[in-house]
């Protein structure tokens, strides 16, 4: 008997409806119905041009946006769209810009304790210990507990955002272009950290990525999107090295022309 995939997405779609006046409404499809699976310890990269629907898909997976139709299963259990507590514990999200994702008026300890207050019964001492342990896990110091976000570099802020995603020990982390604003050296450090955490904790990642070098380096599966449709999907080496359609080849060529990141040696 085969084991159920960690993540199963079944006919998921998202449509935005904006009312323009009393009798008119504007309907825009972010992404059409799609299905895929992701196994434990694997990384799925979502790629596509601007407006392809990849970021909307990431936000629906993480519960930031509700789906219009379709279902999400984790370990074979359906996750209801309004079950925020369960989803919060199983899937966590890292946003693109840590400069806007962290409240500048809160200390790092308060930022990381907030999910624990909402989702666990840990006492104050246990929460502080877990926060400090998680800070160390992402390469920061325990004393950073008392710092404010503006006291950190952008790369350090993204480590805090990663710590916030890890604090509830999720199965899956969704990252929406979480390294695109970082310079090359810091980007390599964060990628290596993500890979190390994946190996140590058995994490699965869904990465919205716009850098072909990063996708080649970290992903097991790729979904390539265009105007809300899946153009091509499958194992990364097949999709990236041997695209089966002219549109897929053209989209990947645009990535080749635009992004040049390479993994650091050693």
């Amino acid at each position: 008997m085969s084991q159920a995939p960690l993540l199963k997405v079944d006919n998921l779609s998202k449509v935005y409806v904006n009312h323009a006046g009393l009798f008119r409404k504007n309907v825009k499809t972010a992404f059409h119905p799609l299905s895929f699976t992701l196994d434990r310890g694997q990384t799925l990269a979502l790629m596509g041009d601007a407006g392809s629907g990849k970021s909307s898909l990431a936000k629906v997976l993480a519960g930031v946006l509700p789906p219009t139709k379709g279902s999400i299963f984790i370990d074979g259990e359906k996750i209801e769209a309004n079950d925020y507590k369960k989803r919060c514990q199983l899937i966590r999200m890292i946003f693109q810009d840590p400069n806007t994702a962290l409240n500048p008026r809160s200390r790092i300890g308060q930022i990381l304790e907030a999910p624990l207050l909402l989702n666990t019964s840990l006492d104050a001492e246990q929460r502080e210990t877990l926060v400090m342990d998680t800070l160390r896990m992402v390469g920061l110091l325990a004393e950073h507990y008392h710092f404010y976000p503006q006291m950190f570099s952008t790369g350090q802020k993204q480590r805090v955002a990663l710590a916030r995603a890890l604090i509830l020990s999720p199965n899956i982390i969704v990252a929406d272009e979480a390294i695109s604003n970082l310079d090359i050296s810091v980007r390599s450090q964060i990628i290596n950290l993500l890979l190390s955490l994946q190996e140590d904790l058995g994490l699965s990642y869904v990465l919205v990525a716009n850098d072909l070098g990063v996708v080649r380096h970290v992903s097991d599966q790729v979904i390539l999107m265009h105007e809300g449709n899946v153009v091509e999907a499958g194992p990364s080496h097949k999709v990236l090295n041997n695209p089966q359609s002219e549109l897929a080849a053209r989209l990947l060529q645009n990535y080749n022309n635009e992004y040049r990141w390479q993994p650091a040696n050693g």
Side-chain angles (χ1 to χ4, degrees):
M1 184 176 176
S2 60
Q3 188 178 12
L6 173 62
L7 174 66
K8 178 183 177 183
V9 171
D10 185 27
N11 281 316
L12 198 68
S13 65
K14 178 63 182 177
V15 175
Y16 295 107
V17 179
N18 295 313
H19 293 276
L22 191 58
F23 301 108
R24 278 182 31 216
K25 60 182 180 181
N26 298 322
V27 178
K28 180 187 177 185
T29 299
F31 58 89
H32 297 277
L34 52 78
S35 301
F36 62 86
T37 61
L38 179 64
D39 290 330
R40 191 177 301 277
Q42 287 206 328
T43 298
L44 168 67
L46 304 178
M47 302 182 71
D49 46 5
S52 65
K54 60 187 187 294
S55 287
S56 292
L57 173 55
K59 289 173 182 174
V60 170
L61 291 175
V64 177
L65 296 173
T68 300
K69 292 182 180 178
S71 303
I72 298 172
F73 300 84
I74 298 179
D75 272 339
E77 182 180 357
K78 185 176 180 180
I79 307 300
E80 301 296 340
N82 59 356
D83 192 345
Y84 301 111
K85 186 168 184 177
K86 179 174 288 186
R87 187 191 295 265
C88 188
Q89 291 174 323
L90 296 172
I91 306 180
R92 303 282 289 163
M93 189 163 188
I94 307 172
F95 294 94
Q96 180 174 357
D97 186 2
N99 294 303
T100 58
L102 303 176
N103 185 346
R105 293 184 295 275
S106 296
R107 295 181 189 271
I108 299 305
Q110 294 173 299
I111 292 171
L112 298 188
E113 278 193 37
L116 300 176
L117 284 166
L118 292 171
N119 296 281
T120 75
S121 57
L122 299 176
D123 62 32
E125 184 178 350
Q126 290 170 324
R127 292 195 303 271
E128 182 176 339
T129 298
L130 180 54
V131 167
M132 290 183 174
D133 288 345
T134 307
L135 285 170
R136 293 189 193 96
M137 189 187 300
V138 299
L140 296 172
L141 301 175
E143 49 262 39
H144 286 145
Y145 181 99
H146 304 287
F147 285 33
Y148 288 95
Q150 57 267 34
M151 300 167 73
F152 289 111
S153 67
T154 299
Q156 288 174 315
K157 288 177 188 175
Q158 201 58 293
R159 288 177 187 262
V160 173
L162 177 56
R164 182 170 59 182
L166 289 169
I167 199 77
L168 293 176
S169 300
N171 300 112
I172 302 162
I173 289 181
V174 178
D176 187 3
E177 298 190 22
I179 58 172
S180 61
N181 285 346
L182 307 177
D183 64 45
I184 295 295
S185 62
V186 177
R187 195 179 305 182
S188 294
Q189 293 170 15
I190 297 295
I191 289 168
N192 289 336
L193 175 60
L194 289 171
L195 292 173
S196 175
L197 289 168
Q198 184 173 49
E199 184 175 348
D200 293 343
L201 304 176
L203 291 168
S204 295
Y205 295 128
V206 177
L207 303 180
V208 178
N210 59 11
D211 191 312
L212 193 59
V214 170
V215 172
R216 288 187 185 280
H217 187 53
V218 306
S219 71
D220 302 287
Q221 304 283 330
V222 169
I223 293 178
L224 185 60
M225 301 178 70
H226 177 67
E227 294 183 351
N229 293 295
V230 175
V231 176
E232 201 154 329
S236 300
H237 65 279
K238 290 186 177 180
V239 173
L240 300 180
N241 297 330
N242 188 27
Q244 297 300 297
S245 70
E246 183 179 338
L247 177 56
R250 189 167 74 246
L251 290 170
L252 290 171
Q253 184 59 45
N254 289 341
Y255 277 103
N256 266 325
N257 291 337
E258 203 169 341
Y259 300 104
R260 301 293 182 183
W261 182 87
Q262 294 290 333
N265 293 326

